[in-house]
Coordinates of all heavy atoms in Angstrom, one line a residue:
Chain A
A1443 N 24.1 -41.0 10.1 CA 22.9 -41.7 9.8 C 21.9 -40.8 9.1 O 21.3 -41.1 8.1 CB 22.2 -42.2 11.1
E1444 N 21.9 -39.5 9.5 CA 21.0 -38.5 8.9 C 21.4 -38.2 7.5 O 20.6 -38.0 6.6 CB 20.9 -37.3 9.7 CG 19.8 -36.4 9.3 CD 19.7 -35.1 10.1 OE1 20.6 -34.7 10.8 OE2 18.6 -34.4 10.0
H1445 N 22.7 -38.2 7.3 CA 23.3 -37.9 5.9 C 22.9 -39.0 5.0 O 22.4 -38.8 3.9 CB 24.8 -37.8 6.0 CG 25.5 -37.9 4.7 ND1 25.4 -37.0 3.7 CD2 26.2 -38.9 4.1 CE1 26.1 -37.4 2.6 NE2 26.5 -38.5 2.9
L1446 N 23.1 -40.3 5.4 CA 22.7 -41.4 4.6 C 21.2 -41.4 4.2 O 20.8 -41.6 3.1 CB 23.2 -42.7 5.2 CG 24.7 -42.9 5.4 CD1 25.0 -44.1 6.2 CD2 25.4 -43.0 4.0
Y1447 N 20.4 -41.3 5.3 CA 19.0 -41.3 5.1 C 18.6 -40.2 4.2 O 17.7 -40.3 3.3 CB 18.3 -41.2 6.4 CG 16.8 -41.5 6.4 CD1 16.4 -42.8 6.1 CD2 15.9 -40.5 6.5 CE1 15.0 -43.1 6.1 CE2 14.5 -40.8 6.4 CZ 14.1 -42.1 6.2 OH 12.8 -42.3 6.1
G1448 N 19.2 -39.0 4.4 CA 18.9 -37.8 3.6 C 19.2 -37.9 2.1 O 18.8 -37.0 1.4
R1449 N 20.0 -38.9 1.7 CA 20.2 -39.0 0.3 C 18.9 -39.3 -0.4 O 18.8 -39.0 -1.6 CB 21.3 -40.1 -0.1 CG 22.7 -39.8 0.4 CD 23.2 -38.5 0.0 NE 23.2 -38.2 -1.4 CZ 23.4 -37.0 -1.9 NH1 23.7 -36.0 -1.2 NH2 23.3 -36.8 -3.2
G1450 N 17.9 -39.8 0.3 CA 16.6 -40.1 -0.3 C 15.8 -38.8 -0.6 O 14.8 -38.9 -1.3
A1451 N 16.2 -37.7 0.0 CA 15.4 -36.5 -0.2 C 15.2 -36.1 -1.6 O 14.2 -35.5 -2.0 CB 16.0 -35.3 0.6
S1452 N 16.3 -36.4 -2.4 CA 16.2 -36.0 -3.8 C 15.6 -37.2 -4.7 O 15.5 -37.1 -5.9 CB 17.5 -35.6 -4.4 OG 18.5 -36.6 -4.1
I1453 N 15.1 -38.2 -4.0 CA 14.6 -39.4 -4.7 C 13.1 -39.6 -4.4 O 12.3 -39.7 -5.3 CB 15.3 -40.7 -4.3 CG1 16.8 -40.6 -4.7 CG2 14.7 -41.9 -5.0 CD1 17.7 -41.7 -4.2
F1454 N 12.7 -39.5 -3.1 CA 11.3 -39.8 -2.8 C 10.4 -38.6 -3.1 O 10.9 -37.5 -3.4 CB 11.1 -40.3 -1.3 CG 11.6 -39.3 -0.3 CD1 11.0 -38.1 -0.2 CD2 12.5 -39.7 0.7 CE1 11.4 -37.2 0.8 CE2 12.9 -38.8 1.7 CZ 12.4 -37.6 1.7
G1455 N 9.1 -38.9 -3.1 CA 8.1 -37.9 -3.4 C 8.2 -37.3 -4.8 O 7.9 -36.2 -5.1
G1456 N 8.7 -38.1 -5.8 CA 9.0 -37.6 -7.1 C 10.4 -37.1 -7.1 O 10.7 -36.1 -6.5
S1457 N 11.3 -37.9 -7.8 CA 12.7 -37.5 -7.8 C 13.0 -36.1 -8.3 O 12.1 -35.6 -9.0 CB 13.5 -38.6 -8.6 OG 13.3 -38.3 -10.0
N1458 N 14.1 -35.6 -8.0 CA 14.4 -34.2 -8.5 C 14.4 -34.2 -10.0 O 14.1 -33.1 -10.6 CB 15.7 -33.7 -7.9 CG 15.6 -33.3 -6.5 OD1 14.6 -33.6 -5.9 ND2 16.6 -32.7 -5.9
E1459 N 14.8 -35.3 -10.7 CA 14.7 -35.3 -12.1 C 13.3 -35.3 -12.6 O 13.0 -34.6 -13.6 CB 15.4 -36.6 -12.6 CG 17.0 -36.6 -12.5 CD 17.4 -36.7 -11.0 OE1 16.7 -37.3 -10.2 OE2 18.5 -36.2 -10.7
I1460 N 12.4 -36.0 -11.9 CA 11.0 -36.0 -12.3 C 10.4 -34.6 -12.0 O 9.6 -34.1 -12.8 CB 10.2 -37.1 -11.5 CG1 10.5 -38.5 -12.0 CG2 8.7 -36.8 -11.5 CD1 10.0 -38.8 -13.4

Side-chain angles (χ1 to χ4, degrees):
Chain A
E1444 192 180 16
H1445 164 72
L1446 293 171
Y1447 191 73
R1449 294 311 304 170
S1452 51
I1453 299 170
F1454 60 59
S1457 73
N1458 285 10
E1459 289 71 25
I1460 288 292

